Amino acid sequence: MTLVSPSLLSADFGQLDRDIDMLNRSQADMLHIDVMDGVFVPNISFGFPVMKFIERAASKPLDVHLMIVDPGRYVNQVRDCGAAIMNIHAEACTHLHRVVQQIKQAGMKAAVTLNPSTPVMMLQDIIEDLDMVLLMSVNPGFAAQKFITHTLAKVKSLREMIDSRGLTGQTTIEIDGGINLQTGALAVEAGADILVAGNYVFADQDPEAAIARLKAL
Ligand code: DX5
Ligand code: ZN
């Protein structure tokens, strides 16, 4: 079964209540929350006060994607904002192993995110500690970018790494960026478990139906 995590980056922040209500009613499995600091990525999105509001309004788990430098500084604050999953970028974190343990000790699921240019091999000595790997299929920072096809090869090699270690079902693969019905189908075929989608969902006149289409992949 494909899981879907719609990205609120493409929601209407003037009507966030309405958009979160829609996600609560929809088949979305979780809500993807993109936090950007203007340093790790060339954009700034939103921070903890907005996350707290999202937590109050949402009835589904929060999948928090931190595009910030040194994310280990914020483990407890992210937990206090209700995150179920804390995604940190391998490229932004010097002591990845330590921070992964801190995330789990704080009671959240730990996920490591890789930029398009970071090889999957980087995870071979930490994969067993991870609940999820998030592969970026665009360079992080903006919604509505074009899917980078090479990510499919990365999904396949990560699938092999996970399955060969006996971690199937324990360590999941999420993919983020440029996901639509076509790229989503290719990603699922390559071995992705969870599809993040922003523009594809929120640009549709019927976002609930768009989510249902991704769920059916
Ligand atoms: C990009 C973010 C993504 C983005 C996805 O930096 O991490 O989650 O919102 O948006 P789409 O699906 O529009 O590419
Ligand atoms: Zn994201």
Side-chain angles (χ1 to χ4, degrees):
M1 192 191 47
T2 304
L3 302 184
V4 177
S5 188
S7 166
L8 280 167
L9 192 60
S10 293
D12 180 346
F13 281 79
Q15 305 188 72
L16 204 44
D17 260 335
R18 180 202 65 180
D19 285 355
I20 294 173
D21 279 348
M22 179 280 293
L23 294 173
N24 288 342
R25 283 193 311 271
S26 78
Q27 292 183 50
D29 296 279
M30 51 191 121
L31 273 54
H32 188 82
I33 313 293
D34 288 302
V35 178
M36 303 178 186
D37 67 355
V39 179
F40 180 67
V41 290
N43 199 5
I44 296 175
S45 56
F46 52 80
F48 297 124
V50 174
M51 273 179 63
K52 282 220 162 90
F53 171 78
I54 295 170
E55 186 212 5
R56 280 207 307 275
S59 62
K60 302 192 178 186
L62 305 187
D63 165 32
V64 178
H65 177 195
L66 297 169
M67 288 161 272
I68 65 173
V69 295
D70 206 359
R73 293 172 294 165
Y74 298 110
V75 172
N76 289 336
Q77 282 183 76
V78 171
R79 191 259 328 273
D80 292 346
C81 287
I85 307 172
M86 179 165 166
N87 296 279
I88 57 172
H89 270 261
E91 304 86 0
C93 192
T94 310
H95 298 288
L96 194 58
H97 183 273
R98 175 186 290 143
V99 180
V100 163
Q101 309 312 320
Q102 288 170 342
I103 292 171
K104 295 205 285 195
Q105 276 157 18
M108 294 176 284
K109 289 191 171 171
V112 170
T113 308
L114 299 183
N115 278 336
S117 64
T118 304
V120 162
M121 193 182 59
M122 286 284 292
L123 298 176
Q124 66 181 355
D125 294 302
I126 197 164
I127 189 78
E128 280 159 28
D129 294 294
L130 304 182
D131 296 296
M132 187 171 92
V133 176
L134 170 52
L135 293 179
M136 290 308 300
S137 39
V138 297
N139 286 294
F142 303 93
Q145 301 182 82
K146 190 173 176 294
F147 183 82
I148 298 170
T149 308
H150 175 69
T151 317
L152 296 172
K154 292 177 69 177
V155 173
K156 282 186 192 141
S157 57
L158 181 59
R159 183 83 269 156
E160 274 168 30
M161 186 192 290
I162 287 172
D163 293 348
S164 68
R165 305 276 191 104
L167 299 170
T168 316
Q170 183 180 324
T171 307
T172 54
I173 303 177
E174 181 174 61
I175 186 165
D176 182 8
I179 294 293
N180 55 35
L181 218 48
Q182 287 73 39
T183 56
L186 294 170
V188 169
E189 194 188 343
D193 302 295
I194 306 162
L195 303 174
V196 175
N199 186 58
Y200 177 73
V201 167
F202 286 97
D204 199 292
Q205 290 204 332
D206 185 349
E208 267 189 78
I211 292 167
R213 286 194 294 275
L214 292 174
K215 277 293 290 177
L217 291 176

